[in-house]
């Protein structure tokens, strides 16, 4: 007999998403993938800003605009209700939703929901178990608390851009909005911790997530390098501040990545390149020595790697347990045999039959697999459905 199909881990959990753009919606999408019923509350006048952040736009079966690709990258699996928060009717709808919810995510500026009676202190009176997650640029206190937060600006303020880019070039941001994405991921971690607490005690709580806090915290070893040495780390291009050679290396037909993490790997690399004597030279034999002589190490290596093609050198490195890899375009990434085998790309069917591509969550659970049941909703697609559910729930409690 076939075993009954297990539900995703957050089945039965309801989330109200009063968030737009990326950090909040990214958290909401992660919760939706794990089975939560995520209700996205959108302004009837255009909805989430990212619906218009194109091109490219997803086209429907009849050529209609189904919102920008950006919007679809972070709103899968949700239901959309169109609500005007400026009206008493709209505020009442959100209060009713909050009464039925386990979690609320919002990314309004500090105090932005107070005037609507939708701030934490107000909603906790309606639902003491509510987990209320606020995502802002700078948190609920401090001198910057009232300022709007933008991923790009936070990447600069956090110190991230000071360690990213070529040594003599401009400080560089990341190629995606990592302050927003990291904040969304940290928010989900905090939400799940608060959810366990609520299930044990019946007590909800307020979660204060700030982009600057998150982006500063994820500098990891660069933070500790500074705190221990009192020397602020600088930009090294593609090189690593603590390991050598751990960088992009040119070959005859492009570039590859070398990620040499220990002395044994360096000896094997030198053997592959036919420069075994380099590995026994005291200037290069240890990682500490190689970091001190990183320019010389690079010069010695590239004089040899220039004789190799990408394919040949990567193959030789693989055969000799030398960590190395290609630098793929996004197209090459999706075509990579490992990415294909893991099923990273998913295709979901919209209500009109349009197939909308996406990328599954990297979370794989053996006993409670994640669910990908629907693509991103159209604006207000589920308004009537959600309101009918609310009426039914309230009638059943009466």
């Amino acid at each position: 007999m076939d075993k009954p199909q297990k539900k995703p881990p957050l089945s039965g959990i309801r989330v109200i998403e009063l968030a737009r753009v990326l950090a909040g919606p990214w958290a909401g999408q992660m919760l939706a993938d794990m089975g939560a019923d995520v209700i996205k509350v959108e302004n009837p006048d255009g909805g989430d800003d990212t619906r218009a952040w194109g091109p490219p736009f997803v086209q429907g079966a009849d050529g209609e605009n189904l919102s920008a690709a950006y919007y679809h990258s972070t709103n899968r699996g949700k239901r959309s209700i169109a609500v005007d928060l400026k009206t008493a009717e709209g505020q009442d709808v959100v209060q009713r939703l909050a009464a039925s919810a386990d979690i609320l995510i919002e990314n309004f500026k500090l105090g932005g929901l107070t005037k609507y009676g939708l701030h934490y202190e107000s909603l906790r009176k309606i639902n003491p178990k509510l987990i209320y997650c606020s995502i802002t640029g700078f948190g609920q206190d401090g001198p910057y608390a009232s300022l709007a937060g933008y991923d790009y600006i936070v990447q600069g303020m956090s110190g991230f851009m000071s360690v990213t880019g070529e040594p003599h070039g401009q400080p560089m941001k990341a190629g995606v909005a990592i302050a927003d994405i990291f904040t969304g991921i940290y928010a989900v971690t905090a939400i799940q911790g608060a959810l366990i607490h609520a299930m044990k005690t019946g007590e909800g709580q307020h979660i204060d997530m700030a982009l600057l806090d998150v982006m500063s915290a994820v500098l990891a070893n660069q933070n500790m390098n500074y705190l221990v040495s009192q020397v602020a780390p600088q930009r090294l291009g593609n090189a690593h501040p603590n390991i050598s050679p751990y960088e992009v290396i040119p070959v005859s037909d492009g570039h590859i990545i070398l990620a040499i993490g220990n002395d044994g790997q360096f000896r094997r690399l030198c053997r592959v390149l036919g420069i075994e004597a380099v590995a026994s030279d005291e200037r290069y034999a240890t990682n500490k020595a190689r970091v001190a002589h990183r320019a010389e190490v690079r010069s010695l290596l590239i004089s040899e790697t220039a004789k190799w093609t990408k394919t040949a050198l990567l193959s030789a490195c693989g055969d000799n347990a030398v960590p190395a890899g290609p630098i793929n375009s996004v197209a090459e990434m999706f075509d990579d045999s490992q990415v294909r085998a893991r099923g990273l790309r998913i295709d979901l069917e919209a209500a009109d039959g349009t197939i909308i591509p996406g990328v599954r969550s990297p979370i794989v659970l053996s006993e409670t697999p994640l669910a990908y049941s629907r693509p991103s909703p159209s604006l207000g697609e589920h308004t009537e459905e959600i309101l009918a559910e609310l009426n039914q729930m309230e009638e059943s409690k009466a």
Side-chain angles (χ1 to χ4, degrees):
M1 180 181 292
D2 292 336
K3 292 182 179 180
Q5 187 172 1
K6 295 183 179 180
K7 294 181 178 179
L10 295 184
S11 293
I13 298 298
R14 172 167 281 192
V15 181
I16 309 305
E17 184 186 293
L18 288 169
R20 58 199 184 280
V21 186
L22 188 51
W26 193 266
Q29 179 170 269
M30 288 184 66
L31 296 170
D33 286 345
M34 287 188 279
D37 176 20
V38 179
I39 297 174
K40 185 177 182 69
V41 178
E42 299 190 77
N43 187 325
D45 184 19
D48 192 310
D49 302 35
T50 60
R51 289 184 179 277
W53 284 10
F57 294 92
V58 174
Q59 282 197 329
D62 297 323
E64 69 274 25
N65 180 353
L66 297 184
S67 298
Y70 194 123
Y71 166 78
H72 289 281
S73 74
T74 189
N75 286 289
R76 171 181 63 237
K78 304 174 187 179
R79 297 192 290 168
S80 171
I81 181 171
V83 175
D84 186 353
L85 299 184
K86 297 183 180 67
T87 67
E89 180 184 9
Q91 293 158 22
D92 178 66
V93 168
V94 175
Q95 289 170 355
R96 292 166 62 201
L97 285 170
S100 73
D102 302 282
I103 299 157
L104 185 145
I105 301 171
E106 61 92 5
N107 68 345
F108 282 69
K109 287 178 66 176
L110 182 67
L113 288 173
T114 303
K115 59 188 174 183
Y116 303 136
L118 301 176
H119 55 304
Y120 175 61
E121 293 301 328
S122 175
L123 295 185
R124 72 182 297 194
K125 296 175 183 176
I126 299 171
N127 182 358
K129 290 182 66 175
L130 184 66
I131 296 160
Y132 189 108
C133 180
S134 295
I135 298 176
T136 58
F138 303 103
Q140 299 295 301
D141 52 23
Y144 303 157
S146 64
L147 301 179
Y150 297 92
D151 174 279
Y152 198 167
I153 292 173
V154 166
Q155 287 194 41
M157 293 178 69
S158 67
F160 174 80
M161 289 176 62
S162 77
V163 297
T164 306
E166 291 298 326
H168 303 295
Q170 285 189 350
M172 297 293 290
K173 70 176 182 66
V176 293
I178 58 173
D180 277 334
I181 291 172
F182 272 128
T183 302
I185 295 169
Y186 270 97
V188 169
T189 304
I191 286 167
Q192 292 183 119
L195 188 60
I196 292 171
H197 174 76
M199 289 177 169
K200 289 179 177 178
T201 67
E203 178 184 53
Q205 60 186 298
H206 186 216
I207 297 172
D208 175 7
M209 297 298 310
L211 269 67
L212 183 60
D213 291 359
V214 170
M215 200 62 221
S216 299
V218 300
L219 294 191
N221 59 300
Q222 294 282 36
N223 281 339
M224 288 302 295
N225 289 344
Y226 167 71
L227 292 173
V228 170
S229 70
Q230 291 299 297
V231 177
Q234 303 296 311
R235 297 189 301 280
L236 295 172
N238 286 311
H240 194 288
N242 303 106
I243 313 172
S244 174
Y246 203 96
E247 57 194 284
V248 171
I249 293 289
V251 291
S252 64
D253 58 346
H255 297 83
I256 67 167
I257 296 168
L258 288 178
I260 306 303
N262 60 53
D263 300 336
Q265 292 171 353
F266 184 68
R267 287 193 294 271
R268 294 195 295 274
L269 172 63
C270 290
R271 187 165 62 246
V272 166
L273 297 176
I275 51 174
E276 290 92 334
V278 170
S280 57
D281 189 313
E282 65 179 11
R283 293 171 295 175
Y284 319 122
T286 66
N287 180 68
K288 181 179 179 180
R290 290 193 297 276
V291 170
H293 298 90
R294 66 167 72 246
E296 296 168 40
V297 172
R298 179 175 176 82
S299 179
L300 288 166
L301 292 179
I302 65 177
S303 65
E304 298 301 321
T305 60
K307 303 172 185 176
W308 294 70
T309 64
K310 285 187 286 188
T311 301
L313 186 51
L314 287 173
S315 177
C317 286
D319 291 342
N320 289 274
V322 175
I327 301 171
N328 289 334
S329 68
V330 175
E332 289 169 330
M333 176 274 289
F334 276 113
D335 197 43
D336 186 280
S337 59
Q338 180 66 19
V339 172
R340 294 167 74 92
R342 295 285 289 175
L344 266 292
R345 172 174 172 156
I346 56 175
D347 293 301
L348 299 174
E349 185 175 351
D352 69 350
T354 302
I355 300 299
I356 300 177
V359 180
R360 70 161 175 82
S361 168
I363 297 170
V364 179
L365 301 177
S366 66
E367 301 305 315
T368 52
L370 275 59
Y372 307 103
S373 57
R374 63 173 118 220
S376 306
S378 59
L379 176 58
E381 179 179 347
H382 305 96
T383 299
E384 292 183 7
E385 173 183 298
I386 293 166
L387 291 176
E389 286 178 4
L390 274 180
N391 290 335
Q392 187 175 19
M393 292 170 63
E394 291 164 350
E395 289 171 2
S396 68
K397 292 179 180 178

